[in-house]
Amino acid sequence: MYAEPGQVRRILTELGDTWAVVGLSANRSRAAWGVAEVLQRFGKRIVPVHPSAETVHGEQGYPSLADVPFPVDVVDVFVNSRLAGPVADEAVSTGARAVWFQLGVVDEAAYDRTRAAGLAMVMDRCPAIEIPRLGG
């Protein structure tokens, strides 16, 4: 289990509504596209972060977290596990409040570094699965 008790709920409901979705492109067949849509329905502003910097779900994309010109609350990571650690480190350096590694994205050292830096962190979970579990 890569989340302290209550961490999932806290990230989804308390830590802010601007979510950078790293790995999000306009490719509708990718999981990031559908999860970003769910986040928007839940009231989150999504910020696509992908080298192609495409506009997705009506939101301007950026090639990296460092290129986003406004604060991001949560960094949702859809990249391969071997690339996820540097994204988590960038989330720390850009002032995010939380990092969320998607299902299948696991980097225990990055999890420990991110938590040690004071950020909330969830790993190997999906917000589109967790949102319905929040209940009323």
Side-chain angles (χ1 to χ4, degrees):
M1 180 66 100
Y2 300 111
E4 294 175 7
Q7 195 78 286
V8 167
R9 176 177 293 276
R10 183 168 168 252
I11 292 172
L12 287 170
T13 63
E14 297 175 22
L15 292 185
D17 292 330
T18 302
W19 283 53
V21 184
V22 179
L24 175 59
S25 71
N27 184 344
R28 293 173 177 248
S29 68
R30 304 290 298 187
W33 195 91
V35 170
E37 187 176 48
V38 170
L39 288 167
Q40 278 188 320
R41 283 199 313 263
F42 189 62
K44 306 300 183 189
R45 176 184 184 189
I46 58 111
V47 181
V49 176
H50 189 280
S52 65
E54 298 172 290
T55 296
V56 184
H57 297 303
E59 294 287 349
Q60 169 64 49
Y62 299 91
S64 73
L65 283 174
D67 293 313
V68 179
F70 49 83
V72 168
D73 300 310
V74 180
V75 177
D76 189 5
V77 181
F78 274 94
V79 300
N80 184 290
S81 293
R82 64 185 165 73
L83 303 173
V87 174
D89 296 338
E90 192 174 13
V92 170
S93 69
T94 58
R97 300 174 73 192
V99 175
W100 190 300
F101 281 6
Q102 281 293 324
L103 285 173
V105 180
V106 176
D107 181 330
E108 292 180 13
Y111 179 89
D112 292 342
R113 285 194 312 273
T114 303
R115 295 291 297 136
L119 279 68
M121 175 85 181
V122 170
M123 185 164 64
D124 196 26
R125 306 278 284 272
C126 179
I129 293 170
E130 300 300 333
I131 286 169
R133 294 178 178 168
L134 293 176

